[in-house]
Structures are given as structure tokens and as C-alpha cells.
């Protein structure tokens, strides 16, 4: 059985060689040591702090007011925006950093959902984004996260208390900490579920190859600029100037420290 996640799909779609290094060869290669990566790591750490603070609020380790008071700078502002715009149900179950799995054929798909709220059989999947640029609906409609997380909710609906045979009752919301009044929402349907399963199955078929030739390097210099393998894969390439607006922390980067705490 081969295991896949949304961040592996994102790596595969951005550069096949990057996915090959990370998931097949499991190359342990440190990120470039330059100002760009230091800035990227600082932004990733802010996103991680925000996710961890929200997890603590949902799991009732802190009240939202305590979380706001004990953070500062951007994370404090994001938590204030979260408090103002997100209303989680008080009469159901609310999960944070919820790991879910499902099998499709011979493949095992993994996801860790930022938050899942279930109330009266209805489910809302939340994904918190700390990007500097507003989200584009078209980008998220076919994102691996959208496809995988909705399908994971369906596959685990009995255990989670989600009503059977009512896929329109599953909603996915991308909430943007810097644009809290402009979330992107996707409802679900039987046809979208079938499309998601077909898309994930097709991706897995390509990502299962062990032949390096099936994983060419990207030609997009911007993708290489953010790639931790740059000094290994393209040692003569020149780092591009950092544009904070282009940077979005990868889901795996956000989890790393939180998982050890
Ligand atoms: S440096 Fe560029 S081509 Fe090489 S793995 Fe990274 S993104 Fe792909």
C-alpha cells in the first residue's frame, strides 16, 4: 500500500522532481542559507504559531481572549480576526488538527484537517491560511486539499457523526487571516465527490512510479526559488528576490513543530 498526502500532491504538481526527492528518495537536504529562506522560515513560524494557538482554543486549553493576550504582532491580530469572524458551533463536536485516513484501491491517503466542526449531522471543514495575498477561488476549487479533505470527511463520516447520504451538508471553508471577511466556501455533492476520487486515483497512478525519468525538473524559476533542494538540484541557480506575497507555508511545515509539542 502506498501512502499519499495533500502536500505530496502539491509538491508533485509544482515540480515532479521536488516530489521525487522528498517522497521517493527521502533526500535529507537542508534548505539554502540565505535571506529569502530566513524570511520564509520566519513567515512559516508565524503561521505555525497561529495554527497552534487556534488548536489550543478549540481544545479548550486557552480561551480565545487568553490566546489573544498571550500572543503579539501579526499572530495577535490574526487571532483577533479569528475571534471576530469565526463562529464554531457550541452544540456539536469541534476537532482541531484532526488526522484522517482513507483507502482508495491500494493507496492510503492521509490528511490533517485544521478544524472540523460537526453539528446536527452537518460538517464544516476549516483550513486556516496566513497568506499575504487574497485567495483565488479557481485556485482552491481543484486544490489537492479541497479534494482530499472533503473525501476524507465522507470516508470517516460514521465515526465523526456526519449524516450519511447528505453530501451537500459537507462544506469546506478556506479562511484567510489577512482577509477574514472574504473566506472561500465550497459545498459538496455526489458528482464533486466522484470527481475528487477520480482525480486522486489518477494522481496516485502517476505518483507511484519509481522511475526518476518520470519526475522532470520544473522550468519555473519561481518554484525553484522556494525549493529546499535548490542547492542540490540546481546549484548554479540564483536566488530570486523574496516577495512575501508569493509565499505560502506548506502544510507539512506548519505541522512539524506543533506535532512535537
Ligand atoms: S530546485 Fe527546482 S527543479 Fe529542482 S527540485 Fe526544486 S523546484 Fe524542482
Amino acid at each position: 500500500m502506498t501512502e499519499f498526502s495533500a502536500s505530496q500532491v502539491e509538491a508533485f504538481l509544482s515540480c515532479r522532481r521536488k516530489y521525487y526527492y522528498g517522497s521517493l528518495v527521502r533526500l535529507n537536504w537542508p534548505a539554502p542559507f540565505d535571506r529569502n529562506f530566513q524570511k520564509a522560515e520566519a513567515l512559516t513560524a508565524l503561521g505555525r504559531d497561529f495554527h497552534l494557538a487556534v488548536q489550543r482554543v478549540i481544545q479548550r486549553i486557552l480561551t480565545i481572549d487568553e490566546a489573544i493576550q498571550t500572543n503579539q504582532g501579526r499572530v495577535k491580530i490574526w487571532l483577533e480576526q479569528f475571534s471576530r469572524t469565526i463562529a464554531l458551533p457550541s452544540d456539536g463536536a469541534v476537532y482541531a488538527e484532526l488526522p484522517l485516513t482513507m483507502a482508495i484501491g491500494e493507496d492510503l491517503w492521509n490528511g490533517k484537517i485544521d478544524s472540523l466542526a460537526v453539528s446536527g449531522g452537518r460538517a464544516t471543514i476549516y483550513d486556516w491560511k496566513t497568506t499575504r495575498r487574497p485567495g483565488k477561488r479557481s485556485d482552491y476549487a481543484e486544490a489537492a486539499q479541497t479534494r482530499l479533505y472533503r473525501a476524507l470527511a465522507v470516508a470517516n463520516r460514521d465515526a465523526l457523526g456526519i449524516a450519511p447520504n447528505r453530501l451537500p451538508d459537507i462544506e469546506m471553508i478556506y479562511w484567510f487571516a489577512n482577509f477574514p471577511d472574504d473566506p472561500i466556501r465550497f459545498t459538496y455533492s455526489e458528482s464533486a465527490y466522484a470527481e475528487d476520487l477520480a482525480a486522486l486515483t489518477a494522481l496516485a497512478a502517476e505518483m507511484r512510479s519509481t522511475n526518476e525519468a518520470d519526475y522532470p525538473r520544473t522550468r519555473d524559476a519561481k518554484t525553484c526559488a522556494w525549493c529546499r533542494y535548490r542547492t542540490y538540484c540546481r546549484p548554479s541557480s540564483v536566488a530570486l528576490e523574496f516577495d512575501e506575497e508569493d509565499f505560502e507555508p506548506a502544510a507539512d511545515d506548519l505541522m512539524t513543530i506543533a506535532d512535537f509539542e
Side-chain angles (χ1 to χ4, degrees):
M1 187 169 258
T2 312
E3 292 194 29
F4 297 112
S5 68
S7 50
Q8 284 177 304
V9 172
E10 282 160 15
F12 177 79
L13 294 176
S14 67
C15 171
R16 292 187 175 211
R17 185 59 61 94
K18 183 177 175 181
Y19 164 75
Y20 175 77
Y21 290 147
S23 297
L24 279 91
V25 179
R26 296 189 181 277
L27 178 64
N28 185 6
W29 192 258
F33 186 71
D34 61 30
R35 270 170 50 82
N36 283 351
F37 268 83
Q38 287 172 332
K39 287 182 192 170
E41 281 167 12
L43 291 176
T44 300
L46 287 176
R48 200 159 44 212
D49 288 349
F50 173 75
H51 278 70
L52 187 55
V54 170
Q55 181 182 5
R56 287 182 171 134
V57 170
I58 290 173
Q59 294 182 317
R60 303 190 180 186
I61 295 167
L62 290 178
T63 65
I64 183 65
D65 289 340
E66 289 169 335
I68 291 169
Q69 283 162 17
T70 51
N71 279 278
Q72 50 196 341
R74 272 196 217 177
V75 178
K76 185 184 187 79
I77 294 167
W78 292 340
L79 288 167
E80 287 167 346
Q81 303 286 33
F82 176 89
S83 175
R84 183 177 66 78
T85 58
I86 294 291
L88 296 170
S90 56
D91 61 342
V94 183
Y95 305 90
E97 301 298 333
L98 178 68
L100 293 175
T101 60
M102 68 175 177
I104 305 178
E106 289 295 303
D107 304 312
L108 186 69
W109 286 87
N110 301 298
K112 188 177 265 191
I113 293 177
D114 286 348
S115 180
L116 176 68
V118 183
S119 176
R122 295 179 61 88
T124 307
I125 302 161
Y126 290 99
D127 195 79
W128 321 125
K129 295 289 184 201
T130 55
T131 50
R132 296 278 289 170
R133 216 185 270 283
K136 271 204 291 187
R137 187 176 180 83
S138 55
D139 287 348
Y140 287 98
E142 297 186 353
Q145 266 188 321
T146 310
R147 292 195 187 284
L148 179 59
Y149 290 4
R150 295 184 306 191
L152 282 169
V154 175
N156 292 275
R157 60 185 159 189
D158 291 347
L160 295 169
I162 300 171
N165 305 321
R166 288 194 352 218
L167 265 53
D169 283 354
I170 295 176
E171 183 178 30
M172 176 143 189
I173 298 179
Y174 288 97
W175 180 83
F176 299 88
N178 290 306
F179 308 92
D181 297 307
D182 299 309
I184 295 177
R185 296 169 176 264
F186 296 100
T187 51
Y188 215 20
S189 64
E190 291 290 346
S191 60
Y193 178 50
E195 273 177 35
D196 288 349
L197 294 184
L200 294 171
T201 302
L203 283 163
E206 290 192 272
M207 294 166 66
R208 234 182 274 122
S209 169
T210 54
N211 183 356
E212 184 175 354
D214 289 332
Y215 301 102
R217 292 175 171 86
T218 180
R219 294 183 181 172
D220 180 3
K222 210 177 232 181
T223 302
C224 296
W226 298 120
C227 179
R228 58 179 289 220
Y229 301 115
R230 195 184 70 225
T231 55
Y232 174 85
C233 177
R234 289 197 154 142
S236 58
S237 65
V238 179
L240 297 181
E241 201 41 53
F242 184 91
D243 183 348
E244 194 175 312
E245 295 209 341
D246 286 335
F247 180 73
E248 179 173 354
D252 281 354
D253 293 335
L254 292 174
M255 290 173 200
T256 312
I257 288 179
D259 283 350
F260 283 108
E261 287 190 348

